[in-house]
Amino acid sequence: MTSRFNLTKEHPMPLINVQLFEGRSTEIKRELAQALTAEACRVLGCGKDAVDIIFTDIKRSDWARAGELWSDK
Amino acid sequence: MTSRFNLTKEHPMPLINVQLFEGRSTEIKRELAQALTAEACRVLGCGKDAVDIIFTDIKRSDWARAGELWSDK
Amino acid sequence: MTSRFNLTKEHPMPLINVQLFEGRSTEIKRELAQALTAEACRVLGCGKDAVDIIFTDIKRSDWARAGELWSDK
Amino acid sequence: MTSRFNLTKEHPMPLINVQLFEGRSTEIKRELAQALTAEACRVLGCGKDAVDIIFTDIKRSDWARAGELWSDK
Amino acid sequence: MTSRFNLTKEHPMPLINVQLFEGRSTEIKRELAQALTAEACRVLGCGKDAVDIIFTDIKRSDWARAGELWSDK
Amino acid sequence: MTSRFNLTKEHPMPLINVQLFEGRSTEIKRELAQALTAEACRVLGCGKDAVDIIFTDIKRSDWARAGELWSDK
């Protein structure tokens, strides 16, 4: 497919940061990294070496929605 | 007020990240989340459900100004 | 108040990033910067020189919730 | 599945930022948002309303690897 | 030097984001990318292929210190 | 040099975030902060008071390349 081929040549280089509540296991992160990388490559038409993913754990007491910490909800 | 009404309809969706030195208590963060959310809603004319706030604690040994770590100042 | 005085001495140094949909005027950002700075100083007990705020405009076609771009909602 | 059920109750709340070279179309971002959201929900066991994705376009002249701008490679 | 050799083996993988006021030329960014990469490699003991640098231009009207936009100072 | 002088007057204000694998000592970060600040000032033509650097430690189990966590490589 032409547009995908062009995307490949253009190196889309996705760098993905995933912020999520702490407590996910390494097994879950491993599976999520594989899944997000596979989908990014499929949609963007790039090789998987081009994909970086960084997970950032957030404490529920460090995230607020509607002015209320998640640890208080 | 018309412009505020339009802003509301446009969903400004503020996502606020606050990086600050570690050591602030959950009580302080709870109060700060409430205060920043209230002001964002007042100025942007949005509902508070639209406001997300994430706090990121930074160690004084991980932040430098003028080439010097804050833990060394 | 003792704890607030200590916080002041500890330089909480809030660095606040506000991501929001593009289209807010400079007047709105100016007012929001003032308001968030004032509240951060009040709650954290720091001088306003310690507060940095950066606004990042996001296009509605660059933000998705529930798998749908906001520009499509 | 018990652990997935627990994760759901714990609200993992993934907030995903995707930095990539500018030039991807809205159609590609729409498809990528859908795909990443679906995979995040499947692996983390959360509802799709919990998933936010923000795309950040980077110019090739604003990204360097090995000390060389991608626009120069 | 042993510790540097170990750091090399441990892949420190620095990913450097530089936010700065818009208006710097590509020539300046090219020179800055080279210089920051060289220093990161020297201090961390890693190969330059491990270093990524992303520049993010910020408008003076999008950055406030002490509650005042830089464009107003 | 004129352009450098102008850059100085324009306050480039570099705010540098360095994400790297955890395990670097405070001594290494101190040296890196000094080195990156010096080079940013030299290239951008700004005073060192204008330079902020924040280090963010990343666990090898929180960073994936090519869909594989670095802790698994």
Side-chain angles (χ1 to χ4, degrees), chain A residues 1 4 8-9 11 13 18-19 25 30 44-45 47-48 53-54 61 63-66 69 73:
Chain A
M1 184 182 167
R4 290 297 165 74
T8 304
K9 288 183 64 179
H11 309 291
M13 296 293 299
V18 182
Q19 294 175 281
S25 66
R30 179 182 293 122
L44 295 171
K48 65 181 183 174
I53 298 180
I54 296 176
S61 55
W63 196 328
R65 176 161 291 177
L69 300 177
K73 287 181 192 286

PDB file of all heavy atoms in Angstrom, chain A residues 1 4 8-9 11 13 18-19 25 30 44-45 47-48 53-54 61 63-66 69 73:
ATOM      1  N   MET A   1       0.856  -1.202   0.000  1.00  0.00           N
ATOM      2  CA  MET A   1       0.000   0.000   0.000  1.00  0.00           C
ATOM      3  C   MET A   1       0.883   1.240   0.000  1.00  0.00           C
ATOM      4  O   MET A   1       1.765   1.404   0.837  1.00  0.00           O
ATOM      5  CB  MET A   1      -0.879  -0.009   1.261  1.00  0.00           C
ATOM      6  CG  MET A   1      -1.876   1.125   1.344  1.00  0.00           C
ATOM      7  SD  MET A   1      -2.770   0.962   2.926  1.00  0.00           S
ATOM      8  CE  MET A   1      -3.574   2.569   2.991  1.00  0.00           C
ATOM      9  N   ARG A   4       1.281   3.605   3.144  1.00  0.00           N
ATOM     10  CA  ARG A   4       2.008   2.940   4.222  1.00  0.00           C
ATOM     11  C   ARG A   4       3.495   2.829   3.911  1.00  0.00           C
ATOM     12  O   ARG A   4       4.339   2.994   4.770  1.00  0.00           O
ATOM     13  CB  ARG A   4       1.435   1.532   4.497  1.00  0.00           C
ATOM     14  CG  ARG A   4       0.083   1.544   5.114  1.00  0.00           C
ATOM     15  CD  ARG A   4       0.127   2.199   6.478  1.00  0.00           C
ATOM     16  NE  ARG A   4      -1.203   2.532   6.955  1.00  0.00           N
ATOM     17  CZ  ARG A   4      -2.078   1.646   7.397  1.00  0.00           C
ATOM     18  NH1 ARG A   4      -1.781   0.369   7.433  1.00  0.00           N
ATOM     19  NH2 ARG A   4      -3.259   2.030   7.808  1.00  0.00           N
ATOM     20  N   THR A   8       6.568   4.374   6.072  1.00  0.00           N
ATOM     21  CA  THR A   8       7.739   3.615   6.506  1.00  0.00           C
ATOM     22  C   THR A   8       9.019   4.381   6.173  1.00  0.00           C
ATOM     23  O   THR A   8       9.899   4.539   7.013  1.00  0.00           O
ATOM     24  CB  THR A   8       7.781   2.241   5.813  1.00  0.00           C
ATOM     25  OG1 THR A   8       6.551   1.580   6.097  1.00  0.00           O
ATOM     26  CG2 THR A   8       8.938   1.406   6.319  1.00  0.00           C
ATOM     27  N   LYS A   9       9.088   4.864   4.954  1.00  0.00           N
ATOM     28  CA  LYS A   9      10.296   5.575   4.556  1.00  0.00           C
ATOM     29  C   LYS A   9      10.484   6.861   5.365  1.00  0.00           C
ATOM     30  O   LYS A   9      11.602   7.312   5.568  1.00  0.00           O
ATOM     31  CB  LYS A   9      10.224   5.927   3.061  1.00  0.00           C
ATOM     32  CG  LYS A   9      10.401   4.702   2.162  1.00  0.00           C
ATOM     33  CD  LYS A   9      10.408   5.096   0.723  1.00  0.00           C
ATOM     34  CE  LYS A   9      11.594   5.995   0.391  1.00  0.00           C
ATOM     35  NZ  LYS A   9      11.595   6.352  -1.050  1.00  0.00           N
ATOM     36  N   HIS A  11       9.982   7.257   8.493  1.00  0.00           N
ATOM     37  CA  HIS A  11      10.348   7.024   9.893  1.00  0.00           C
ATOM     38  C   HIS A  11       9.399   7.725  10.868  1.00  0.00           C
ATOM     39  O   HIS A  11       9.784   8.741  11.458  1.00  0.00           O
ATOM     40  CB  HIS A  11      11.757   7.526  10.207  1.00  0.00           C
ATOM     41  CG  HIS A  11      12.825   7.060   9.297  1.00  0.00           C
ATOM     42  ND1 HIS A  11      13.252   5.754   9.245  1.00  0.00           N
ATOM     43  CD2 HIS A  11      13.562   7.742   8.387  1.00  0.00           C
ATOM     44  CE1 HIS A  11      14.219   5.641   8.348  1.00  0.00           C
ATOM     45  NE2 HIS A  11      14.423   6.831   7.805  1.00  0.00           N
ATOM     46  N   MET A  13       8.628   6.959  13.861  1.00  0.00           N
ATOM     47  CA  MET A  13       9.342   6.983  15.142  1.00  0.00           C
ATOM     48  C   MET A  13       8.442   7.206  16.357  1.00  0.00           C
ATOM     49  O   MET A  13       8.716   8.089  17.177  1.00  0.00           O
ATOM     50  CB  MET A  13      10.389   8.102  15.127  1.00  0.00           C
ATOM     51  CG  MET A  13      11.476   7.899  14.123  1.00  0.00           C
ATOM     52  SD  MET A  13      12.510   6.477  14.538  1.00  0.00           S
ATOM     53  CE  MET A  13      13.164   6.987  16.116  1.00  0.00           C
ATOM     54  N   VAL A  18       3.065   6.030  28.573  1.00  0.00           N
ATOM     55  CA  VAL A  18       1.812   5.567  29.170  1.00  0.00           C
ATOM     56  C   VAL A  18       1.842   5.872  30.664  1.00  0.00           C
ATOM     57  O   VAL A  18       2.610   5.283  31.418  1.00  0.00           O
ATOM     58  CB  VAL A  18       1.613   4.047  28.956  1.00  0.00           C
ATOM     59  CG1 VAL A  18       0.277   3.590  29.551  1.00  0.00           C
ATOM     60  CG2 VAL A  18       1.696   3.683  27.489  1.00  0.00           C
ATOM     61  N   GLN A  19       1.026   6.835  31.078  1.00  0.00           N
ATOM     62  CA  GLN A  19       0.873   7.119  32.512  1.00  0.00           C
ATOM     63  C   GLN A  19      -0.323   6.316  33.008  1.00  0.00           C
ATOM     64  O   GLN A  19      -1.399   6.353  32.402  1.00  0.00           O
ATOM     65  CB  GLN A  19       0.613   8.610  32.727  1.00  0.00           C
ATOM     66  CG  GLN A  19       1.795   9.487  32.338  1.00  0.00           C
ATOM     67  CD  GLN A  19       1.475  10.961  32.449  1.00  0.00           C
ATOM     68  OE1 GLN A  19       0.830  11.525  31.567  1.00  0.00           O
ATOM     69  NE2 GLN A  19       1.908  11.597  33.513  1.00  0.00           N
ATOM     70  N   SER A  25       1.418  -5.111  37.162  1.00  0.00           N
ATOM     71  CA  SER A  25       2.593  -5.985  37.256  1.00  0.00           C
ATOM     72  C   SER A  25       3.478  -5.837  36.015  1.00  0.00           C
ATOM     73  O   SER A  25       3.054  -5.301  34.987  1.00  0.00           O
ATOM     74  CB  SER A  25       2.141  -7.434  37.365  1.00  0.00           C
ATOM     75  OG  SER A  25       1.504  -7.815  36.155  1.00  0.00           O
ATOM     76  N   ARG A  30       4.547  -5.898  30.205  1.00  0.00           N
ATOM     77  CA  ARG A  30       5.185  -6.605  29.087  1.00  0.00           C
ATOM     78  C   ARG A  30       4.170  -6.865  27.974  1.00  0.00           C
ATOM     79  O   ARG A  30       4.440  -6.611  26.798  1.00  0.00           O
ATOM     80  CB  ARG A  30       5.767  -7.918  29.595  1.00  0.00           C
ATOM     81  CG  ARG A  30       6.446  -8.760  28.533  1.00  0.00           C
ATOM     82  CD  ARG A  30       6.953 -10.076  29.105  1.00  0.00           C
ATOM     83  NE  ARG A  30       8.036  -9.838  30.060  1.00  0.00           N
ATOM     84  CZ  ARG A  30       8.026 -10.236  31.341  1.00  0.00           C
ATOM     85  NH1 ARG A  30       6.978 -10.877  31.835  1.00  0.00           N
ATOM     86  NH2 ARG A  30       9.053  -9.976  32.125  1.00  0.00           N
ATOM     87  N   LEU A  44       0.937   2.524  11.494  1.00  0.00           N
ATOM     88  CA  LEU A  44       1.877   3.522  10.965  1.00  0.00           C
ATOM     89  C   LEU A  44       2.773   2.946   9.867  1.00  0.00           C
ATOM     90  O   LEU A  44       3.462   3.697   9.164  1.00  0.00           O
ATOM     91  CB  LEU A  44       2.758   4.080  12.082  1.00  0.00           C
ATOM     92  CG  LEU A  44       2.033   4.876  13.165  1.00  0.00           C
ATOM     93  CD1 LEU A  44       2.988   5.183  14.323  1.00  0.00           C
ATOM     94  CD2 LEU A  44       1.481   6.178  12.595  1.00  0.00           C
ATOM     95  N   GLY A  45       2.799   1.640   9.748  1.00  0.00           N
ATOM     96  CA  GLY A  45       3.621   1.037   8.718  1.00  0.00           C
ATOM     97  C   GLY A  45       5.104   1.149   8.987  1.00  0.00           C
ATOM     98  O   GLY A  45       5.908   1.366   8.078  1.00  0.00           O
ATOM     99  N   GLY A  47       8.694  -0.353  11.214  1.00  0.00           N
ATOM    100  CA  GLY A  47       9.291  -1.510  11.862  1.00  0.00           C
ATOM    101  C   GLY A  47       9.242  -1.352  13.379  1.00  0.00           C
ATOM    102  O   GLY A  47       9.239  -0.228  13.888  1.00  0.00           O
ATOM    103  N   LYS A  48       9.227  -2.482  14.108  1.00  0.00           N
ATOM    104  CA  LYS A  48       9.031  -2.349  15.553  1.00  0.00           C
ATOM    105  C   LYS A  48      10.255  -1.758  16.261  1.00  0.00           C
ATOM    106  O   LYS A  48      10.125  -1.223  17.355  1.00  0.00           O
ATOM    107  CB  LYS A  48       8.579  -3.671  16.185  1.00  0.00           C
ATOM    108  CG  LYS A  48       9.554  -4.793  16.142  1.00  0.00           C
ATOM    109  CD  LYS A  48       8.915  -6.046  16.789  1.00  0.00           C
ATOM    110  CE  LYS A  48       9.926  -7.176  16.830  1.00  0.00           C
ATOM    111  NZ  LYS A  48       9.431  -8.345  17.563  1.00  0.00           N
ATOM    112  N   ILE A  53       8.436   2.689  24.187  1.00  0.00           N
ATOM    113  CA  ILE A  53       7.323   2.871  25.115  1.00  0.00           C
ATOM    114  C   ILE A  53       7.892   3.049  26.518  1.00  0.00           C
ATOM    115  O   ILE A  53       8.759   2.274  26.940  1.00  0.00           O
ATOM    116  CB  ILE A  53       6.362   1.660  25.093  1.00  0.00           C
ATOM    117  CG1 ILE A  53       5.751   1.523  23.694  1.00  0.00           C
ATOM    118  CG2 ILE A  53       5.283   1.790  26.165  1.00  0.00           C
ATOM    119  CD1 ILE A  53       4.787   0.365  23.553  1.00  0.00           C
ATOM    120  N   ILE A  54       7.432   4.073  27.210  1.00  0.00           N
ATOM    121  CA  ILE A  54       7.830   4.298  28.603  1.00  0.00           C
ATOM    122  C   ILE A  54       6.576   4.323  29.468  1.00  0.00           C
ATOM    123  O   ILE A  54       5.622   5.041  29.171  1.00  0.00           O
ATOM    124  CB  ILE A  54       8.605   5.623  28.752  1.00  0.00           C
ATOM    125  CG1 ILE A  54       9.916   5.565  27.972  1.00  0.00           C
ATOM    126  CG2 ILE A  54       8.864   5.944  30.220  1.00  0.00           C
ATOM    127  CD1 ILE A  54      10.706   6.874  27.994  1.00  0.00           C
ATOM    128  N   SER A  61      -3.018   8.949  44.890  1.00  0.00           N
ATOM    129  CA  SER A  61      -3.016  10.201  45.668  1.00  0.00           C
ATOM    130  C   SER A  61      -2.296  11.330  44.928  1.00  0.00           C
ATOM    131  O   SER A  61      -2.173  12.437  45.459  1.00  0.00           O
ATOM    132  CB  SER A  61      -2.365   9.971  47.037  1.00  0.00           C
ATOM    133  OG  SER A  61      -1.068   9.433  46.878  1.00  0.00           O
ATOM    134  N   TRP A  63      -3.185  11.957  41.562  1.00  0.00           N
ATOM    135  CA  TRP A  63      -3.993  12.222  40.368  1.00  0.00           C
ATOM    136  C   TRP A  63      -5.380  12.654  40.841  1.00  0.00           C
ATOM    137  O   TRP A  63      -6.005  11.971  41.655  1.00  0.00           O
ATOM    138  CB  TRP A  63      -4.102  10.963  39.507  1.00  0.00           C
ATOM    139  CG  TRP A  63      -4.568  11.141  38.098  1.00  0.00           C
ATOM    140  CD1 TRP A  63      -5.442  12.071  37.612  1.00  0.00           C
ATOM    141  CD2 TRP A  63      -4.185  10.350  36.958  1.00  0.00           C
ATOM    142  NE1 TRP A  63      -5.611  11.907  36.247  1.00  0.00           N
ATOM    143  CE2 TRP A  63      -4.853  10.853  35.828  1.00  0.00           C
ATOM    144  CE3 TRP A  63      -3.334   9.248  36.796  1.00  0.00           C
ATOM    145  CZ2 TRP A  63      -4.707  10.309  34.546  1.00  0.00           C
ATOM    146  CZ3 TRP A  63      -3.190   8.706  35.524  1.00  0.00           C
ATOM    147  CH2 TRP A  63      -3.865   9.234  34.409  1.00  0.00           C
ATOM    148  N   ALA A  64      -5.826  13.786  40.355  1.00  0.00           N
ATOM    149  CA  ALA A  64      -7.152  14.301  40.714  1.00  0.00           C
ATOM    150  C   ALA A  64      -7.994  14.475  39.461  1.00  0.00           C
ATOM    151  O   ALA A  64      -7.496  14.890  38.415  1.00  0.00           O
ATOM    152  CB  ALA A  64      -7.028  15.652  41.426  1.00  0.00           C
ATOM    153  N   ARG A  65      -9.259  14.126  39.563  1.00  0.00           N
ATOM    154  CA  ARG A  65     -10.226  14.516  38.528  1.00  0.00           C
ATOM    155  C   ARG A  65     -11.346  15.260  39.236  1.00  0.00           C
ATOM    156  O   ARG A  65     -11.773  14.877  40.326  1.00  0.00           O
ATOM    157  CB  ARG A  65     -10.758  13.295  37.778  1.00  0.00           C
ATOM    158  CG  ARG A  65     -11.838  13.682  36.760  1.00  0.00           C
ATOM    159  CD  ARG A  65     -12.072  12.653  35.697  1.00  0.00           C
ATOM    160  NE  ARG A  65     -10.930  12.527  34.773  1.00  0.00           N
ATOM    161  CZ  ARG A  65     -10.886  11.623  33.786  1.00  0.00           C
ATOM    162  NH1 ARG A  65     -11.891  10.798  33.600  1.00  0.00           N
ATOM    163  NH2 ARG A  65      -9.828  11.557  33.001  1.00  0.00           N
ATOM    164  N   ALA A  66     -11.797  16.340  38.591  1.00  0.00           N
ATOM    165  CA  ALA A  66     -12.871  17.152  39.170  1.00  0.00           C
ATOM    166  C   ALA A  66     -12.480  17.686  40.549  1.00  0.00           C
ATOM    167  O   ALA A  66     -13.330  17.881  41.415  1.00  0.00           O
ATOM    168  CB  ALA A  66     -14.176  16.359  39.237  1.00  0.00           C
ATOM    169  N   LEU A  69      -8.803  13.949  44.601  1.00  0.00           N
ATOM    170  CA  LEU A  69      -7.805  12.900  44.402  1.00  0.00           C
ATOM    171  C   LEU A  69      -8.509  11.550  44.216  1.00  0.00           C
ATOM    172  O   LEU A  69      -9.499  11.262  44.902  1.00  0.00           O
ATOM    173  CB  LEU A  69      -6.863  12.832  45.611  1.00  0.00           C
ATOM    174  CG  LEU A  69      -6.076  14.100  45.935  1.00  0.00           C
ATOM    175  CD1 LEU A  69      -5.254  13.885  47.209  1.00  0.00           C
ATOM    176  CD2 LEU A  69      -5.177  14.516  44.784  1.00  0.00           C
ATOM    177  N   LYS A  73     -11.707   9.068  46.274  1.00  0.00           N
ATOM    178  CA  LYS A  73     -13.007   8.765  45.654  1.00  0.00           C
ATOM    179  C   LYS A  73     -13.591   7.455  46.187  1.00  0.00           C
ATOM    180  O   LYS A  73     -12.869   6.581  46.602  1.00  0.00           O
ATOM    181  CB  LYS A  73     -12.844   8.687  44.119  1.00  0.00           C
ATOM    182  CG  LYS A  73     -12.636  10.056  43.473  1.00  0.00           C
ATOM    183  CD  LYS A  73     -12.503   9.957  41.971  1.00  0.00           C
ATOM    184  CE  LYS A  73     -12.009  11.246  41.343  1.00  0.00           C
ATOM    185  NZ  LYS A  73     -12.990  12.302  41.294  1.00  0.00           N
TER     186      LYS A  73
END
